[in-house]
Amino acid sequence: MLEELDRITEQQDRSATFELIRELADPGAGGRERIVYALARLGDPRAAVPLAGIGRDRDQPAQVRQAALQVLEESAMCPEGAELRAWWDTGDDLVRACLLRQATRGEADLLEPVVCDPHHLLHRHGLIGIGITFEEPHWQQYKIAGLDHPDPAVRRTAAYQLGWDEPVAAEPALHRTATDSDADVACAAIDTLRYYRSRATLRLLHEIAQGDDTRATAARDAVADLLSDFEDEQSRIGHWLTPVADLLGAPELDYAPSPGPPGPRRSKPSVPSAAEVFAMYSDPDGPWKPKLAALHSYYPRSDHWSGVPAADRPGLAAFLSGHPDPQVRELCCPALSSWQEVDSLLALTRDRELGVRKSAVYNLRFVPLSHEIATLTWDLIVSGEVAGTCGQEALATCAAHTPPGDLDDRLIELARTDLRGSICAEAVSLLGDHIEPLLPLLSEPPLLTWAVHTRLLDACRNSGRQPPAANALRTIDNLYVAAALADR
């Protein structure tokens, strides 16, 4: 089997799933890392139960259990909700560490006692768990505090996790960590600082880049990323960039580039017939790479599915939305939207897999106006269950199903009081020109990033308003804020 692993992995040949699980569970097996990688690439949902059994079996060697849990994590097949909580109740630290790394906002009560206690045995795993969507300031403070932990593995984890939400409050601590005595910690902070677009960060990373160690190499890569963004704005905010002008190239002349010859037209992928879909996706074995690639090629445009005969749509909707593979359920949502299969999409908003729920909520935006959908998505927002991209998409779908103006008061309240930065920023965007009650926010410090401020400034520009806080904001060391103020 090991000699065939490359082919199995490349083709995602699920005919090999159970044999690979048997090899992984063999304490004397060689090449376990390759087996883990292959199983994770296969993503076979049939593997979830046996792998969970191995991972939770305390009679198995630790390396075997860890390998099984790693597959579940890397293939996004860990349980969620009540089943995941049952793992916590085992008291098994190997399993609990996996739970913490994979936790969602629904497990916040399990995460907080771990991340607020720097001495907790599983503290580092808790910091991994709050890396994404835990946007509120107190969660960010736990990650920032991790930069001062005595264990370099914890400091490195904290530095890496701060790259997801990019909280403004973390920038000074990341500057300090970029010169950490542990090179791996420093490199993690440097890599995260590439997303902090300030002149102070650019200058610091440029200085670090003058060395000849791994920190310098990491800094040179980060500086290259920052410079591309800074140089794009030179013609608009040249005065603001004066303190770092020596690091920038000559500004590009402001002229439209030649369009050049047209590229080859990409053919629109043809959607298979209903019979072909049933045949292709009913077989759990064989190479799944082309099957999933086909669905990915259709996913960005729901109109690919518009040619399916109306008589075939209900049967296909039931088959795809009920498929055992969560990737199929997730990728079929544009088809369900195109066919106006609202009930199927609504059912998927309650799916056990987060990615499926997210896709269903997003694609409900494109079906006819529905009070039920508006209520469902609003309830999702106020429940606190969603944040980040999931929260933005839920709020946008809610707005799409609410008559113009009817959501304004609630959007204003969200922007003023919600502690999720993504929700606040999306609320501002959805208000359009109706942002007068929110202009005092321009004088307040950022909750997470400067997104609320820049979106308010953009709305002011579009409506011809002169924001009263504009002069004070000119002192802010942030490229996006400076660019938003450029035309004032």
Side-chain angles (χ1 to χ4, degrees):
M1 178 65 72
L2 283 176
E3 56 270 17
E4 287 195 71
L5 267 183
D6 290 342
R7 179 195 63 79
I8 292 167
T9 304
E10 169 60 26
Q11 297 180 5
Q12 294 176 249
D13 187 351
R14 293 180 177 178
S15 304
T17 295
F18 295 107
E19 178 60 29
L20 287 174
I21 293 174
R22 283 190 289 272
E23 293 210 19
L24 179 141
D26 180 358
R32 185 170 285 110
E33 289 184 2
R34 292 181 61 203
I35 295 171
V36 167
Y37 178 72
L39 281 168
R41 285 278 294 144
L42 292 185
D44 190 339
R46 299 173 300 173
V49 171
L51 287 170
I54 296 169
R56 293 182 57 181
D57 184 355
R58 296 195 191 197
D59 291 332
Q60 290 275 8
Q63 68 269 24
V64 171
R65 299 178 64 206
Q66 185 60 61
L69 294 172
Q70 183 180 345
V71 175
L72 291 174
E73 290 190 68
E74 294 183 2
S75 56
M77 292 195 295
C78 283
E80 294 188 30
E83 188 180 352
L84 193 59
R85 283 179 172 273
W87 285 29
W88 185 262
D89 294 337
T90 64
D92 182 339
D93 280 344
L94 195 64
V95 168
R96 283 185 164 190
C98 178
L99 179 152
L100 291 169
R101 294 191 297 268
Q102 294 297 302
T104 67
R105 290 176 65 87
E107 288 78 48
D109 60 315
L110 301 180
L111 278 163
E112 187 144 21
V114 177
V115 296
C116 75
D117 179 5
H119 303 294
H120 198 288
L121 181 66
L122 301 177
H123 184 68
R124 183 177 68 85
H125 303 279
L127 292 180
I128 294 172
I130 64 170
I132 305 175
T133 78
F134 288 80
E135 297 183 299
E136 291 88 341
H138 75 284
W139 295 112
Q140 303 301 329
Q141 288 303 318
Y142 293 139
K143 289 185 281 187
I144 294 170
L147 296 175
D148 291 319
H149 198 279
D151 184 348
V154 174
R155 298 200 302 276
R156 184 172 64 250
T157 295
Y160 176 77
Q161 297 303 324
L162 285 164
W164 293 105
D165 292 329
E166 305 165 31
V168 172
E171 191 167 9
L174 284 167
H175 282 195
R176 184 179 68 252
T177 308
T179 59
D180 194 276
S181 58
D182 185 289
D184 289 340
V185 173
C187 287
I190 289 166
D191 193 55
T192 288
L193 281 169
R194 75 176 64 222
Y195 304 111
Y196 286 73
R197 290 167 173 82
S198 70
R199 295 167 299 188
T201 290
L202 178 60
R203 177 63 67 184
L204 172 69
L205 294 181
H206 171 74
E207 292 171 358
I208 296 172
Q210 305 313 302
D212 57 3
D213 57 3
T214 56
R215 297 173 180 83
T217 301
R220 285 192 286 272
D221 289 341
V223 165
D225 276 359
L226 285 170
L227 284 177
S228 65
D229 289 331
F230 275 69
E231 290 171 349
D232 285 346
E233 298 292 348
Q234 267 184 289
S235 61
R236 298 179 62 219
I237 55 172
H239 179 72
W240 184 85
L241 290 170
T242 298
V244 291
D246 58 307
L247 307 182
L248 307 178
E252 294 185 5
L253 297 177
D254 189 14
Y255 63 88
S258 168
R265 296 189 62 181
R266 297 177 62 181
S267 60
K268 178 178 174 180
S270 58
V271 176
S273 68
E276 290 172 327
V277 171
F278 287 128
M280 184 182 302
Y281 295 98
S282 292
D283 183 5
D285 282 327
W288 267 74
K289 182 178 180 178
K291 300 179 187 183
L292 295 174
L295 288 177
H296 275 288
S297 70
Y298 309 146
Y299 185 84
R301 294 179 54 188
S302 59
D303 62 334
H304 287 170
W305 295 97
S306 59
V308 174
D312 291 340
R313 295 176 183 181
L316 279 174
F319 171 72
L320 293 170
S321 64
H323 199 277
D325 191 323
Q327 295 179 85
V328 174
R329 300 197 300 276
E330 177 180 343
L331 294 169
C332 80
C333 288
L336 302 178
S337 175
S338 175
W339 302 336
Q340 307 297 299
E341 290 284 346
V342 176
D343 288 345
S344 293
L345 280 172
L346 287 171
L348 290 178
T349 65
R350 301 183 294 275
D351 196 271
R352 62 182 179 273
E353 298 286 345
L354 175 61
V356 179
R357 298 195 298 271
K358 178 181 182 296
S359 183
V361 168
Y362 174 81
N363 283 284
L364 278 169
R365 192 179 314 178
F366 310 110
V367 303
L369 196 70
S370 163
H371 177 70
E372 180 183 6
I373 296 171
T375 300
L376 179 149
T377 47
W378 179 254
D379 289 347
L380 194 60
I381 293 294
V382 298
S383 73
E385 181 183 334
V386 294
T389 305
C390 291
Q392 292 174 315
E393 292 175 354
L395 190 54
T397 296
C398 181
H401 287 277
T402 306
D406 285 6
L407 198 61
D408 284 4
D409 288 346
R410 285 180 283 171
L411 291 173
I412 289 168
E413 186 65 13
L414 281 177
R416 281 173 168 165
T417 65
D418 203 281
L419 295 179
R420 293 164 291 180
S422 62
I423 298 295
C424 297
E426 186 66 18
V428 172
S429 293
L430 291 170
L431 281 165
D433 293 340
H434 305 156
I435 43 87
E436 193 72 32
L438 297 180
L439 292 183
L441 292 178
L442 288 171
S443 300
E444 297 184 12
L447 183 67
L448 181 66
T449 70
W450 290 103
V452 166
H453 296 71
T454 57
R455 295 187 193 200
L456 283 171
L457 289 171
D458 288 343
C460 286
R461 182 183 63 249
N462 294 336
S463 60
R465 290 184 178 89
Q466 182 62 36
N471 286 336
L473 287 171
R474 294 185 194 282
T475 65
I476 299 300
D477 187 9
N478 180 270
L479 180 68
Y480 298 135
V481 174
L485 289 166
D487 300 326
R488 304 192 177 283

